Amino acid sequence: MVTESRSNKEEDLTGQDRFAWNLIVSWSSQLVLVLSGFIMPRLVDDKVGQVALGVWDFGWSFVSYLSLVGLGMGACFNRYIAKHRSAGEFVLLNKVANSAVFVQVIFSLITVLCTVLFYVLLPRYFSDALKENTTTAQWVVLFLGLSVAVRMLTGSASGLLTGYHRWDIHNTLHAGDSILSLILMVSALHLTGLGVVGMALGYLISTTVFEVLRFVSVGKVCKEFHFDLRMVNWSTCLEMLIFGIKSMLSNIPPIILLQTISIMLVSIIGPAALAIFARSMALTKQITTFMTKFTLMLTPTTGSMLGTGDIKAIKSLFINTTALSFAFTLPSLGFLFIYGDVILQYWMGNDYAQWPLIMILAAGQLLPMGQDTSIRILMGMNRHGAISIVACIAVFVMFVIGLFWAGLDNWELTTAAILFVVPMNIVYGFIIPIYTCRQLKLPWLNYVYCSFIKPAIYTTPFLGFLCWSREAFDSDDNSTALVTIFFAVIITIIIYFIFLVPKNMQHKIISRCKF
């Protein structure tokens, strides 16, 4: 017992000592997802056509609604795991974890029932739009829906691993799942005649395998956790459900908004239009996912800091991580704004290279993406209830207003993009960050200067060189374009190293460099 106690004291239970390592593993694993995301759409388009690709996107749009069944709980209870663990409250930790397991089993069963319901009702409402692809869409929805049910069943395992700040294991399993699903989906396309239905089945098999491995990892890592459903506590279940609903209200509006727009695109223009829109959205979504991998770690870290009563550290965490977020999103989205159509052309072909569309999506997601830290910090403090309700209502009110402006006929792809980015900017780019500053008693102007203006200044040379590079590219001077991008990256790395990397880390890096 004494040895175990000393070991716990030596370990940083806030997870800050593992933050950099977790982020490296997280982003490395995300590169696997990026690879899969670039390979599969082109393969589907070449093998079975643009319409089938649109049916695949349509299936995912429908299935995304199933996330509502979980009421936002999922792995979000990692905040409780981290808080109780840092305070040494292991009985409460087990009550939370076992209650989460029980609730997730119920939600998983409900998800299966909803999936079957979607499967049965789909022909009645979408046969006119999908025509001969209706049966294919049914099977895609069925298999993808079952994969969501499996993932929902294991949400408690994800919450335990991330509550123990083992994002490295969590994301490694996620990457392994992506690799296996990629192999199975490619095999289904080339070795069978099942097309996108075979892809959906392969995705279900891969999900099942790696979610089982996630439970195995919990048994090896989370030593204080003991599976015992007799520890299920109804008041604890209710508390976590309320927390999850508050989290869902803040996280789910972008998902519902995007999927609603996607389904409306299929109904108004057709599946092929959705395929084009989804590829541009996929580019920005890759950057969003990188940022989410970073900001998700803030919730359990904030919960641990709250458990030790260190409010000052939470303020510093919010400002510093938001600055780092913008330091990543500004050059990333800037590159898509300037070169997005070129990427789409080489990736998917000329039909997908819609420069106005990718420009709207890239510029329009800068503020929400760079400030995702705000809602994660609020979740860690359990102060995201009221603002989540405001966010949910505001997003859909503005979307309805946008529909009155755009109408329901003669949509263009840019119309769909504007209907998505405007509500996102107002709510997640302004309302939630301002509310977070008030909760932390941070001066708004100081927050803007430290978190946004400074990174924007540091990124200005990169964006300037990028514009110069694009001019050279359009003049068929590819050598100059590539060299200019290379210099832009080098100069930005130097600037970031000088102004963003902490002094102690600078000294460590310099000391390890031997010339």
Side-chain angles (χ1 to χ4, degrees), residues 143-209:
F143 290 136
L144 293 182
L146 291 176
S147 70
V148 172
V150 171
R151 204 176 293 277
M152 194 169 292
L153 180 65
T154 59
S156 55
S158 298
L160 277 162
L161 287 174
T162 55
Y164 273 68
H165 306 292
R166 295 312 304 264
W167 293 90
D168 51 347
I169 298 176
H170 171 74
N171 288 303
T172 298
L173 290 170
H174 199 37
D177 183 12
S178 299
I179 293 173
L180 179 58
S181 64
L182 176 63
I183 293 172
L184 293 176
M185 287 190 291
V186 171
S187 300
L189 280 178
H190 288 276
L191 301 179
T192 72
L194 297 175
V196 291
V197 175
M199 289 170 54
L201 177 59
Y203 185 86
L204 172 61
I205 294 171
S206 178
T207 299
T208 304
V209 170

Side-chain angles (χ1 to χ4, degrees), residues 1 72 77 197 220 258 479 494:
M1 289 293 293
F77 76 97
V197 175
K220 294 183 178 180
L258 178 59
S479 299
I494 294 172

Side-chain angles (χ1 to χ4, degrees), residues 346 469-481:
Y346 281 103
S469 171
R470 181 58 196 255
E471 288 185 6
F473 179 83
D474 290 338
S475 301
D476 293 327
D477 190 356
N478 295 336
S479 299
T480 301

